[in-house]
Amino acid sequence: IYSFAPVFLFYQSAEITLEDITLHAGGGMGVIAHKCRDITAHRLSVRPSGFRPMSVNCDATHFISCEGDIRFDDCYFEGMGDDAINVHGFYWLIREIGIRSVVATLDVMTQSLYPDLPDVGDTLEFVKPGTLLPFSSGRIETVLPQGDGWTVKIGFEKELPPELAVGDAVMNVSRKPSLRFENCTVRNIRGRAVLLQNRGAVIRNCLFEDCTGEAIHITTATGWWESGGVRDIEICDNRFIHCGFGKTTYCDAVGVVVNTECAQQAAGVHKDICIHHNHIEGDNVGVALSSCEHVLLEGNRFHGCAPDIMVEHAGDIVVMGEPQPRVVC
């Protein structure tokens, strides 16, 4: 049960450090941090004890609408029921439109069970749900919660774009923390290892082994309404070993999947991604790219993948390496 009994729950907190902590079991997620700033995990270990097959039942760590820096170093994850780390915000769906204001609702429950209201001064991007492509942005002048806090009236400093329509969505780009996930191990988990929906990340020198889903998933989604389009990601010097074997509803690549979960895939939802000098070994697709542009793959070593790289609904993809990877478009 995703929101039941996390081991640690942080809400509207800052400068959090989790150091030399081991979580052997939990009824829900290991760590949930919501609307927090600057979080560090150093030698955090999530692993089952004794002969137990599982550690925490859901995500090991889960970050909602945070800001500042999230840093993981020398951490270990094994036996979870879902991701090692998920970083995201939420899409609010627009129900009413004024000249400089909207009334919007959050149509899903947050994993912390607390509302996810934006703040005055935050910048929101306007998004078409069919593709999840952003088309404009605005800075918040007023925030007026309605009722129980799952509906809000948002006033903007300037007039709204003429193409904005009821049913469009807004996402908070001021709540997109940077992530550094380095020198970590994720193995033997049910799900994906790293789920990225933020802007600015480095994933370096990690081992991802025997994850049922893809090791790294860069995405954004309707249904879950988790946001948003990803920018400025570097994935380098990692080892991806036999991941993506679970035959789930995702692509299940061994290494990295970039896509959107919506009605129509469109290039440009995700941008500026560099995947270089990784070892990718397994019998599924090595890297799958969709709904993205400005992506560089350089110096990666593929072993047994079929194919090495798969590309669709994408633009400005550069692939370099010796031997040249096998690319299917």
Side-chain angles (χ1 to χ4, degrees), residues 1-10 18 21-33 44-47 52 55-62 80 111-112:
I1 302 173
Y2 275 84
S3 300
F4 174 73
V7 180
F8 292 99
L9 172 60
F10 302 102
L18 299 164
I21 293 173
T22 298
L23 307 183
H24 286 308
M29 297 190 183
V31 178
I32 295 177
L44 170 67
S45 179
V46 182
R47 67 174 76 199
R52 292 177 58 90
S55 52
V56 298
N57 286 2
C58 305
D59 294 353
T61 64
H62 196 101
M80 299 92 64
Q111 292 81 2
S112 70

Side-chain angles (χ1 to χ4, degrees), residues 226-260:
E226 292 184 359
S227 69
V230 168
R231 307 283 187 274
D232 303 318
I233 307 297
E234 183 181 15
I235 299 168
C236 64
D237 301 320
N238 302 289
R239 296 176 65 218
F240 301 97
I241 309 295
H242 300 303
C243 297
F245 61 88
K247 309 302 182 186
T248 71
T249 57
Y250 300 104
C251 178
D252 299 326
V254 178
V256 182
V257 172
V258 181
N259 72 349
T260 58

Side-chain angles (χ1 to χ4, degrees), residues 58 78 110 117 135 137 145 166 177 196 258-260 265 270 274 317:
C58 305
E78 182 179 355
T110 66
L117 295 171
F135 60 91
S137 64
V166 170
L196 280 183
V258 181
N259 72 349
T260 58
Q265 302 283 300
H270 309 294
C274 182
I317 309 297

Side-chain angles (χ1 to χ4, degrees), residues 76-287:
Y76 183 91
F77 302 93
E78 182 179 355
M80 299 92 64
D82 211 339
D83 315 319
I85 178 173
N86 183 352
V87 184
H88 70 89
F90 280 107
Y91 290 110
W92 288 72
L93 298 179
I94 295 173
R95 304 305 186 193
E96 300 176 22
I97 300 175
I99 296 174
R100 287 174 47 193
S101 67
V102 299
V103 174
T105 58
L106 182 55
D107 277 1
V108 292
M109 182 64 69
T110 66
Q111 292 81 2
S112 70
L113 307 183
Y114 287 104
D116 190 53
L117 295 171
D119 297 312
V120 172
D122 286 352
T123 296
L124 304 187
E125 282 188 351
F126 301 104
V127 175
K128 293 294 182 183
T131 60
L132 296 178
L133 276 168
F135 60 91
S136 188
S137 64
R139 183 179 167 89
I140 296 177
E141 187 172 62
T142 59
V143 175
L144 298 173
Q146 312 284 296
D148 59 5
W150 302 96
T151 299
V152 63
K153 184 174 183 179
I154 304 170
F156 293 89
E157 293 179 350
K158 297 181 180 180
E159 291 188 10
L160 300 174
E163 62 267 41
L164 187 66
V166 170
D168 287 346
V170 291
M171 72 171 192
N172 193 340
V173 295
S174 296
R175 291 279 175 175
K176 294 290 179 190
S178 68
L179 171 68
R180 296 192 73 91
F181 193 83
E182 299 178 295
N183 311 308
C184 296
T185 296
V186 185
R187 58 158 46 105
N188 298 331
I189 69 167
R190 179 188 175 275
R192 301 153 291 181
V194 177
L195 181 53
L196 280 183
Q197 300 170 93
N198 67 309
R199 297 191 174 179
V202 175
I203 302 173
R204 186 183 67 84
N205 196 35
C206 296
L207 169 63
F208 302 97
E209 183 176 27
D210 293 328
C211 304
T212 60
E214 56 267 24
I216 298 174
H217 193 185
I218 295 171
T219 188
T220 184
T222 58
W224 294 101
W225 294 113
E226 292 184 359
S227 69
V230 168
R231 307 283 187 274
D232 303 318
I233 307 297
E234 183 181 15
I235 299 168
C236 64
D237 301 320
N238 302 289
R239 296 176 65 218
F240 301 97
I241 309 295
H242 300 303
C243 297
F245 61 88
K247 309 302 182 186
T248 71
T249 57
Y250 300 104
C251 178
D252 299 326
V254 178
V256 182
V257 172
V258 181
N259 72 349
T260 58
E261 299 169 53
C262 59
Q264 181 181 351
Q265 302 283 300
V269 176
H270 309 294
K271 299 180 180 181
D272 303 321
I273 301 167
C274 182
I275 303 169
H276 66 95
H277 296 97
N278 301 284
H279 176 96
I280 304 172
E281 178 178 340
D283 57 6
N284 210 332
V285 178
V287 174

